[in-house]
Amino acid sequence: MRELVRQVGAGLGEAVLATVVAVVVAAVGLEAFSLVHWPAFNSSNVTRSITTVGQVACAVLLVAAVTLIRLHRLPWLARLLAWAGISGFVTVTLGMPLAATKLYLLGVSVDQEFRTEYLTRLTDSPALHDMTYAGLPPFYPAGWFWFGGRVAHLLGLAGWEAFKPWAILSLAIASVLAHVLWSRLIRADWAVAVAAVTTTVMVAYASPEAYSAVLVILFAPAMVLAWGALYRPALLPAAGPAATGADPTHRRSPATAGGWGATVGTGLFLGVSAMSYSLFFAVAVFAVVLMGLLAWLASWWPRRSGAWRLLRPILIRLIGMGVLAGVLALLVWAPYIAKALGGGKALSNTAFHYLPESGSRLPLPMFDFSLLGALCLVGTIWLVLRSGASRRAQGLGIAVVAIYLWSLLSMVVTVGGTTLLSFRLEPILQVLLAAAGVFGLAEGGRAVFRALNEPARFRAVAVVVAVLAALAFAQDIPNILSNEITTAYTDTDGNGDRADKRSPSAVSYYRAVDAALLADTGQPRDHTVVLTADTGFLAFYPYYGFQALTSHYANPLADFAGRAHEIGRWSSLKSPAELLDALAACPWRAPDAFVFRSSGDTYTLRLSEDVYPNDPNVRRYTVSFPKALFDDPRFHSTNIGPFTVITVRR
């Protein structure tokens, strides 16, 4: 127990210090970027060039950290340089291209709209609440958004404005935490290399969805940790006659906690996953359970006896992970579970109804003609060659197999009318194979070094080539994220501005719409339910919506389809009195206001419905309300640009 407390305490202490460094580096970097009036990324190469300079500076810090480690000098400074280099890389690679806009990657478009809405909701109040619907607990895990909301509240920022700095800050923190975890599992210089490389891959391919990217970067070391917790050959009895006797005496080294430190660490990762991203939590649990099964088989097969005795310690550790993960998960899931058990019915849940082309085939990044493809190919070769002897290769390899099994299962369940969203796992696979590739290059390079009779300049050549290759990939990240960055400049922000200085969209009228709603309703935003098809308005202001953007992001307890039918029924009514009666009899909290678009003699709403298995999986349709339905003193209308704001005076 003492060793367990020491291990966990030391790890958490180092994690706190690393987090502080990442926060300082990211905060200073983002503040420095904001002091200069930069040109828009999509119309100038200035920010791209400064990004490259910053990446080179971070590479210098990382090389210095590895050099100090190799010289066995100033280990504390080496760690500090590694944390600063990794967090600085995230900050400059994402922050500099976005320096001239207040929006994050993808702006407030498509999926980023509902994510911004969620952050806005939890900035307005720390209470766990659905992003859209009044009176419902959240269905989508609130962890990342809750902390972001608290950061926004602390800094006095609106939720939409805090999205970019919080996304970059959280990715910087997650990246240095990945380094801390790797440094507990492997030699220190390799930990710097693998953390830096996987961070680069994560930024390139996972960063647009920041709340999942924080798990992507931690997935690989967490899987190695989980395998170390479940497969403990040093604690097993020797195969042979003795193995059939009484319970063995475990040969536990006094320098270890018998795998319980790894068990706690894995449980924490699973719990944080459950708090942040349900899909990745499910995949992580699947991988860990698969590890438990393989650990038992690897222990039992040489003996062919004592199956329960060998399975019991594995089950105990799995249960320990599950209990810890469950406690953390309940911090965000308890309100939804209580509501569901208390009589709430999940009448609509189409979250898994999406099958793009990438989800219909196995991802094979090792055969892409690119630097990352080459690294993943090296990683694949290393995983196969070292699977019999390396615990790292076993842990990473089982995780890779788990992702491929999940992908195949996702394709199989399409027969049943759903999917398992396997296409979203590709960034995890890329990071897993990239981590394996680093180990493959390190071990392969060492083998070549010895085979060539240890030439004097070999190490220097290897280091220079590796650093230049990493920089070649890193400086191409703005190209990889070009569409996402461009959208951040072409979308209109909450101030009504476009960062590329071109004419803003109708979003520029949202501020006036907000003012009209506040004046007409006379109540705070979070006391008002608005029916509008311009759900981006809810991303900037914390009103509740009567209907969500799509059914895929709607709370299952909200009955998306039922609400859509009700809206259609309202539009077919014949008089204001009938509409008022229908609103009074509405089975849900009825709208206090409508925000329409005007078209001739009608007001229109452009809504959506699920059309899975088609791709795209959403069909848009228009519902038209005759303007005569609102020709009554109990409805107050205000025309604002393309919008008509109608409030209900009950």
Side-chain angles (χ1 to χ4, degrees), residues 228-289:
L230 296 171
Y231 184 53
R232 309 290 298 177
L235 303 181
L236 296 173
T244 64
D247 289 345
T249 300
H250 292 334
R251 299 185 296 275
R252 178 175 300 178
S253 168
T256 72
W260 281 102
T263 299
V264 171
T266 304
L268 289 173
F269 172 74
L270 294 176
V272 171
S273 299
M275 295 172 67
S276 305
Y277 202 91
S278 300
L279 175 64
F280 287 3
F281 168 67
V283 173
V285 170
F286 178 68
V288 170
V289 171

Side-chain angles (χ1 to χ4, degrees), residues 77-306:
L77 180 58
R79 285 194 293 270
L80 187 64
L81 291 175
W83 298 337
I86 291 171
S87 58
F89 176 83
V90 174
T91 303
V92 74
T93 304
L94 293 175
M96 194 66 246
L98 296 172
T101 176
K102 291 182 178 293
L103 300 179
Y104 187 59
L105 299 172
L106 287 175
V108 196
S109 293
V110 197
D111 291 359
Q112 216 71 306
E113 179 182 306
F114 95 85
R115 296 165 192 155
T116 306
E117 180 186 353
Y118 207 174
L119 187 59
T120 294
R121 172 68 56 218
L122 294 177
T123 298
D124 182 62
S125 169
L128 292 177
H129 201 288
D130 184 78
M131 66 189 89
T132 301
Y133 299 105
L136 289 181
F139 172 70
Y140 285 89
W144 186 86
F145 299 94
W146 188 90
F147 282 105
R150 296 305 87 213
V151 170
H153 183 77
L154 179 66
L155 298 178
L157 297 175
W160 69 267
E161 195 171 3
F163 196 104
K164 183 184 81 171
W166 169 237
I168 295 173
L169 177 63
S170 63
L171 292 180
I173 293 172
S175 297
V176 297
L177 291 180
H179 170 261
V180 170
L181 189 49
W182 278 119
S183 67
R184 295 273 157 176
L185 298 169
I186 58 177
R187 47 188 282 186
D189 52 344
W190 287 14
V192 174
V194 73
V197 169
T198 53
T199 295
T200 304
V201 175
M202 176 273 292
V203 170
Y205 294 103
S207 58
E209 193 177 65
Y211 71 112
S212 69
V214 296
L215 301 176
V216 169
I217 190 61
L218 292 167
F219 204 92
M223 292 299 100
V224 176
L225 190 70
W227 182 242
L230 296 171
Y231 184 53
R232 309 290 298 177
L235 303 181
L236 296 173
T244 64
D247 289 345
T249 300
H250 292 334
R251 299 185 296 275
R252 178 175 300 178
S253 168
T256 72
W260 281 102
T263 299
V264 171
T266 304
L268 289 173
F269 172 74
L270 294 176
V272 171
S273 299
M275 295 172 67
S276 305
Y277 202 91
S278 300
L279 175 64
F280 287 3
F281 168 67
V283 173
V285 170
F286 178 68
V288 170
V289 171
L290 179 62
M291 286 180 180
L293 175 62
L294 293 177
W296 173 72
L297 287 174
S299 304
W300 172 80
W301 186 257
R303 298 162 178 78
R304 310 291 204 285
S305 63

